[in-house]
Amino acid sequence: MKSNKSILLVEDDPNFGRILKDYLTINNYDVSLAVNGIEGFEKFNRSEFDLCILDIMMPFKDGLTLAREIREVNDVIPLIFLTAKNLKDDVLKGYKIGADDYLTKPFDSEILLAKIKSILNRKPNVNVEEKDVFEFDFGDFNFNSKLRILTHKEGESYKLSPKENQLLKMLVLNFDDLLPRDIALNKIWRDANYFTSRSMDVYIAKLRKYLDKDKSLKIINVHGEGFRLMQE
Amino acid sequence: MKSNKSILLVEDDPNFGRILKDYLTINNYDVSLAVNGIEGFEKFNRSEFDLCILDIMMPFKDGLTLAREIREVNDVIPLIFLTAKNLKDDVLKGYKIGADDYLTKPFDSEILLAKIKSILNRKPNVNVEEKDVFEFDFGDFNFNSKLRILTHKEGESYKLSPKENQLLKMLVLNFDDLLPRDIALNKIWRDANYFTSRSMDVYIAKLRKYLDKDKSLKIINVHGEGFRLMQE
DNA sequence: AGTATACATTAACATTTCATTAAGAAAGTT
DNA sequence: AACTTTCTTAATGAAATGTTAATGTATACT
């Protein structure tokens, strides 16, 4: 009937990795095991997973770096970190990147299983459409959010920075509608406070500069609420 | 800005509960503290929360029982359990009930905060059913309360301030009917006293100025009672 | 190692928006 | 008439936003 959920497990300790993989397999998950961050990222790109379990401490490319790369491509897939005991800093970094959970080694396998179930049982992510759209036309512009390039019909192309790119994408996806400040902050900056908010304002200013080439486009502010990309 | 997220905290240890509540309050959450499961359930039913933090070990009614009761009424609100030691059984039971996470005491407050943020930043799956109405037509006007824009058929658009917007929305929702003063005051100003009442008068005056473009519309005062938006 | 580059954050200052309060006039109530 | 409530405009101060520049902070390059 329903095909098993698939998990990407990235763990450098071959013994432990093997055991964990077997345990999860017995419990009806399809597990793909990678032994370091580099291999992990390759596997991640080769197939579709429902969940990633990443060891933080790994040679070549650690779990946090790998997580960042994964998040650049996919900002919905759940991430669980494995961390050695009491590395609070790693845990906090993990959450900042967008982790869903973490476990400190050694951990209880049943609890891991419960966590996995809990995470996978959440409402299936609604935005089916949002997933693959990365090219947009609006005003005199073409915008490729995968390549992070914004092109004006007549002339210039701009290479957007990651943050510029994310913010513009959210604005475009909400074209002519309100993009609430909090939503953008929590999605792009993963935190909403005074400083991230100021940072967002700076990026709005940058985007306005780009969009200035088409005088009909405007990013207007709704005081206290957010921003709205519109064409008059 | 936007209103804070609210948390129901159920914890029988008064000292610890107090400290935790204060800590969360400092971090911009509205926290309601209950000292046992019974009080917890009452508070849960009395108002709307965004998240519950439940101590498992409590007299009278333990956290797991409380969680079950909450889940009977509401199957989406996130639950976080606090468990004394690593009582694996409790943790597993918790997940079975539908917990989102757990923390073993003593835990690090920063990590709790990170978890809360992570959980609350997940898809706002709550109001799928109740789609908020935010666009209205009345007289010669179109009113979009989400974008806070009031547009006259012929001509101008007005950007409304948050208070103007809320007040007009309440008037429109009670079109041709009385909007009692204290209802509006308590909803918009969260308080009804002499000064907020003066402030409301100022906003009524502002709205009248906007609506003046359509001579058939009037905001009339019902002395001592409130206001009524009507069309003759 | 040092240096260049790209990027994000923070600082600083200007500007705009907003809510409240004041104050005097007008209208309603008794 | 005496009193209360409402009406309206303007003044004030606080908060949010706009913008440019300076400061960090990684990473790649030499």
Side-chain angles (χ1 to χ4, degrees):
Chain A
M1 291 296 275
K2 221 169 72 175
S3 67
N4 291 339
K5 297 285 187 176
S6 63
I7 295 177
L8 173 62
L9 172 62
V10 189
E11 165 63 62
D12 65 307
D13 177 339
N15 288 320
F16 181 66
R18 183 82 222 164
I19 292 171
L20 188 50
K21 174 176 175 173
D22 288 347
Y23 176 74
L24 292 172
T25 305
I26 289 170
N27 284 281
N28 295 315
Y29 294 102
D30 292 338
V31 183
S32 192
L33 176 61
V35 297
N36 61 52
I38 296 170
E39 193 192 336
F41 194 57
E42 281 168 8
K43 290 203 167 180
F44 178 83
N45 281 320
R46 267 210 299 282
S47 39
E48 297 256 317
F49 295 97
D50 297 300
L51 179 94
C52 299
I53 301 176
L54 313 178
D55 191 9
I56 287 191
M57 204 100 71
M58 287 186 300
F60 305 124
K61 187 189 286 183
D62 70 291
L64 292 172
T65 310
L66 172 59
R68 254 178 237 113
E69 292 177 353
I70 289 176
R71 270 282 172 267
E72 275 188 24
V73 187
N74 183 324
D75 57 0
V76 296
I77 189 166
L79 305 175
I80 296 179
F81 285 107
L82 304 182
T83 150
K85 226 182 177 121
N86 267 339
L87 286 180
K88 182 180 145 189
D89 245 33
D90 282 348
V91 173
L92 291 179
K93 275 185 203 155
Y95 275 113
K96 191 135 203 179
I97 293 169
D100 286 71
D101 215 328
Y102 74 100
L103 277 168
T104 55
K105 292 201 268 189
F107 55 83
D108 187 284
S109 54
E110 280 187 84
I111 288 185
L112 172 62
L113 212 56
K115 272 190 191 296
I116 292 174
K117 274 186 195 159
S118 162
I119 288 174
L120 290 179
N121 281 344
R122 279 176 210 154
K123 293 233 163 96
N125 282 317
V126 235
N127 309 338
V128 187
E129 13 140 19
E130 185 186 334
K131 206 141 202 189
D132 287 313
V133 186
F134 58 86
E135 187 164 4
F136 310 91
D137 285 292
F138 62 98
D140 292 344
F141 291 100
N142 172 274
F143 169 42
N144 187 318
S145 66
K146 209 168 206 166
L147 302 174
R148 302 208 315 249
I149 290 180
L150 177 67
T151 311
H152 188 264
K153 288 249 157 67
E154 317 282 78
E156 287 116 303
S157 273
Y158 307 104
K159 288 169 56 185
L160 302 184
S161 86
K163 286 250 162 27
E164 289 169 350
N165 185 62
Q166 283 182 282
L167 186 54
L168 181 55
K169 185 174 177 184
M170 288 193 82
L171 284 166
V172 171
L173 285 172
N174 291 281
F175 194 87
D176 203 41
D177 199 1
L178 177 73
L179 170 63
R181 229 191 163 85
D182 296 25
I183 303 281
L185 285 177
N186 281 325
K187 179 146 180 169
I188 300 176
W189 279 265
R190 307 233 163 241
D191 189 18
N193 60 47
Y194 174 78
F195 288 107
T196 54
S197 209
R198 303 311 286 110
S199 194
M200 174 166 165
D201 288 334
V202 172
Y203 278 92
I204 290 288
K206 291 180 181 183
L207 292 181
R208 282 187 175 129
K209 225 169 215 166
Y210 293 134
L211 298 187
D212 203 38
K213 286 278 189 280
D214 179 343
K215 298 299 181 191
S216 71
L217 291 174
K218 294 236 178 332
I219 299 176
I220 64 171
N221 171 256
V222 183
H223 200 93
E225 301 287 340
F227 294 92
R228 176 178 169 221
L229 171 61
M230 59 167 292
Q231 186 165 31
E232 36 190 40
Chain B
M1 278 293 266
K2 251 190 165 161
S3 68
N4 292 337
K5 299 283 188 178
S6 65
I7 296 177
L8 174 62
L9 171 62
V10 189
E11 163 65 62
D12 65 308
D13 178 341
N15 288 320
F16 180 65
R18 182 83 223 162
I19 290 172
L20 188 49
K21 175 179 173 170
D22 289 347
Y23 177 74
L24 292 173
T25 304
I26 288 170
N27 285 280
N28 293 316
Y29 294 102
D30 291 339
V31 183
S32 192
L33 176 61
V35 297
N36 60 54
I38 296 170
E39 192 192 338
F41 194 57
E42 279 169 10
K43 288 203 167 177
F44 180 83
N45 283 318
R46 266 210 299 283
S47 39
E48 299 254 316
F49 295 97
D50 297 301
L51 177 93
C52 299
I53 302 176
L54 313 177
D55 191 8
I56 288 191
M57 204 99 73
M58 285 187 302
F60 306 125
K61 187 189 287 182
D62 69 290
L64 292 171
T65 311
L66 172 58
R68 255 178 237 111
E69 292 177 352
I70 288 177
R71 271 282 171 269
E72 277 182 24
V73 188
N74 183 325
D75 59 356
V76 295
I77 189 167
L79 305 175
I80 296 180
F81 285 107
L82 304 182
T83 144
K85 290 172 290 169
N86 215 331
L87 288 181
K88 183 179 145 191
D89 245 33
D90 282 350
V91 173
L92 291 178
K93 275 185 204 158
Y95 276 114
K96 200 147 199 171
I97 294 169
D100 286 70
D101 215 326
Y102 75 99
L103 276 168
T104 57
K105 293 200 268 187
F107 55 83
D108 188 284
S109 54
E110 279 187 85
I111 288 184
L112 171 63
L113 212 57
K115 272 188 189 297
I116 291 174
K117 276 186 192 164
S118 162
I119 289 174
L120 289 179
N121 284 347
R122 283 175 205 153
K123 301 272 136 108
N125 46 10
V126 203
N127 30 2
V128 179
E129 18 160 353
E130 176 130 4
K131 219 172 29 170
D132 200 28
V133 181
F134 58 84
E135 189 164 3
F136 310 91
D137 285 294
F138 63 98
D140 292 344
F141 291 100
N142 171 274
F143 169 41
N144 187 319
S145 67
K146 185 177 174 191
L147 300 174
R148 299 210 318 248
I149 291 177
L150 177 67
T151 311
H152 187 264
K153 288 248 158 67
E154 317 282 78
E156 287 117 303
S157 273
Y158 307 105
K159 288 169 59 181
L160 303 184
S161 88
K163 286 263 189 315
E164 290 169 351
N165 186 62
Q166 282 183 282
L167 186 54
L168 181 55
K169 186 175 177 182
M170 286 192 82
L171 285 167
V172 170
L173 287 172
N174 291 281
F175 195 87
D176 204 39
D177 199 0
L178 176 72
L179 171 61
R181 216 187 174 92
D182 40 331
I183 302 275
L185 284 176
N186 281 319
K187 174 137 185 175
I188 300 175
W189 278 265
R190 306 196 168 274
D191 186 20
N193 61 46
Y194 174 79
F195 288 107
T196 54
S197 210
R198 294 305 96 241
S199 196
M200 174 168 166
D201 289 336
V202 172
Y203 279 93
I204 290 289
K206 291 180 180 182
L207 291 182
R208 282 187 175 129
K209 218 170 215 167
Y210 294 134
L211 298 186
D212 203 38
K213 285 278 191 280
D214 179 342
K215 299 298 181 190
S216 71
L217 290 173
K218 295 239 179 325
I219 299 176
I220 62 172
N221 173 258
V222 183
H223 200 88
E225 301 290 338
F227 295 92
R228 177 175 164 224
L229 170 61
M230 57 166 293
Q231 186 166 31
E232 44 194 28

